[in-house]
Amino acid sequence: MTAAAIRPGRVENDGESESRRTHRPTKHALTARERKGLRLARALVWPALAAAIIITQIPFLVTIYYSFQEWNLLRPGDRSFVGFENYAIVLSNGAFVSSLIATVVITGASVLLSLVFGMVLALLLDRKFVGQGVARTLLITPFLMMPAAASLIWKWSMLDSNAGMVNWGLSLIGIEPVAWNTDVPILTIIIVLTWQYTPFMMLILLAGLQSQPGDVLEAASVDGAGPIRTFFSMTLPHMRQYMELSILLGTILLLQVFDPIAIMTRGTGGTKTLSYLLYERAFVGLEVGEAAAYGVLTVLLTIIVAMVALRTLFKIFKTEGMN
């Protein structure tokens, strides 16, 4: 009786195990040709990986080493190991806090404005019209310009108090010329960065708009939903992940901005960001140890933002793959 009671259970369990073995994916044995191709692929990757390590990781390790040294270029032969003293000086210095605030304000405002204008331009380009390709090419041009060239154009051709085109336009409506670089330096930097990074946001958001199912939008139109309701009820929720990705990647890029600040304001008027403060301590104050500590802290801040950005990116890829 007991054996009979146990036997069916064993038979059932054996059946479940057999089912699992049946549905378990079998490993495909690689042929000699496939193994050769795999070795070739790995061999082609190794030079790029080695170059990336040499170009990025070794300089970063050297920067960490310098951050533990007291080294002023006015006394090049006088160097000593001070441990975390440079970090203590940096974190206790009011310049670090003010630069961090300036970095957050400039980066946050530029990213949000670029996102808004990028969404508007993406919505306008997400439709067929004559000259669509030309319009897209012209709109992405600001992002392709060198930051130094863009800064010089805005400083002298656009925002100059005497001959700038912006002040000329304001004079037509009776507004006095504005010395943008000295009177409103933060606004000046935000304008330039917004102009330059709006195309970057536009490209990401345009890709998101074009991935939206067309039949769903047609069904909403048939049901009587207007364009505004369709946008806020269907398009905006669909674009949420693309907007998050735009914000995070834009933040990573804007954290490293240096050229507009160095060329247009030289860090005055609350525009001294962490990247410019690093340059100032290294090439003006000649304090290599402190500058290296600033650099390490800036890299750590960028890595934190990059980790969040990569998680969001992988989440988007996973969601799109499941769909």
Side-chain angles (χ1 to χ4, degrees):
M1 182 70 179
T2 306
I6 295 174
R7 190 175 296 113
R10 287 180 178 174
V11 172
E12 183 178 355
N13 291 337
D14 292 342
E16 292 179 358
S17 301
E18 184 66 27
S19 176
R20 292 194 190 98
R21 286 195 295 269
T22 303
H23 294 287
R24 183 179 300 168
T26 57
K27 293 184 177 179
H28 173 67
L30 297 176
T31 63
R33 184 176 181 179
E34 289 175 340
R35 287 195 296 269
K36 183 178 179 180
L38 185 59
R39 287 195 297 269
L40 177 61
R42 290 175 177 172
L44 293 175
V45 170
W46 274 112
L49 181 61
I53 293 175
I54 293 173
I55 294 173
T56 62
Q57 302 307 312
I58 293 180
F60 182 59
L61 293 176
V62 173
T63 303
I64 294 176
Y65 169 75
Y66 284 152
S67 68
F68 295 126
Q69 302 286 321
E70 182 181 0
W71 184 18
N72 190 297
L73 293 181
L74 294 176
R75 303 180 300 275
D78 186 11
R79 290 172 54 181
S80 60
F81 179 81
V82 293
F84 289 94
E85 183 177 337
N86 286 325
Y87 291 94
I89 294 174
V90 167
L91 295 175
S92 62
N93 191 353
F96 177 78
V97 177
S98 61
S99 295
L100 183 61
I101 294 174
T103 303
V104 171
V105 171
I106 293 174
T107 302
S110 302
V111 166
L112 292 178
L113 289 175
S114 299
L115 181 69
V116 173
F117 290 122
M119 176 64 78
V120 173
L121 294 176
L123 290 171
L124 293 176
L125 291 176
D126 189 33
R127 59 192 67 212
K128 297 294 182 180
F129 59 89
V130 178
Q132 184 183 31
V134 176
R136 289 183 179 181
T137 303
L138 292 176
L139 286 174
I140 67 174
T141 301
F143 185 67
L144 302 178
M145 292 184 62
M146 291 186 298
S151 302
L152 289 172
I153 290 173
W154 275 93
K155 181 177 181 179
W156 299 112
S157 300
M158 301 296 295
L159 299 179
D160 185 71
S161 57
N162 296 319
M165 296 180 64
V166 174
N167 281 326
W168 174 78
L170 294 177
S171 65
L172 296 179
I173 56 177
I175 299 178
E176 295 294 327
V178 179
W180 296 91
N181 295 325
T182 55
D183 292 348
V184 283
I186 293 182
L187 181 60
T188 300
I189 299 299
I190 292 174
I191 290 173
V192 175
L193 294 179
T194 301
W195 173 80
Q196 191 164 20
Y197 284 89
T198 292
F200 174 76
M201 303 289 188
M202 179 195 70
L203 291 176
I204 298 177
L205 297 176
L206 182 59
L209 288 174
Q210 293 180 345
S211 68
Q212 191 174 9
D215 53 350
V216 176
L217 297 178
E218 292 179 2
S221 177
V222 171
D223 291 340
I228 297 179
R229 184 176 180 182
T230 301
F231 175 76
F232 284 102
S233 300
M234 303 181 65
T235 302
L236 202 58
H238 171 77
M239 294 295 295
R240 180 182 62 85
Q241 290 182 328
Y242 295 92
M243 295 170 66
E244 291 177 355
L245 179 63
S246 301
I247 292 173
L248 292 171
L249 294 181
T251 301
I252 293 174
L253 293 174
L254 287 168
L255 282 174
Q256 308 170 33
V257 166
F258 171 79
D259 302 74
I261 298 171
I263 292 174
M264 302 183 71
T265 65
R266 297 190 179 276
T268 59
T271 61
K272 187 181 294 185
T273 59
L274 289 175
S275 58
Y276 188 83
L277 182 61
L278 187 157
Y279 156 80
E280 193 177 61
R281 295 307 298 157
F283 297 101
V284 179
L286 302 180
E287 290 287 348
V288 176
E290 290 185 24
Y294 279 116
V296 172
L297 293 176
T298 304
V299 169
L300 292 179
L301 178 63
T302 306
I303 289 175
I304 293 173
V305 178
M307 289 174 60
V308 179
L310 290 175
R311 285 190 176 184
T312 304
L313 182 63
F314 294 150
K315 183 179 178 182
I316 290 176
F317 287 159
K318 184 177 179 181
T319 304
E320 293 294 333
M322 294 176 61
N323 293 336

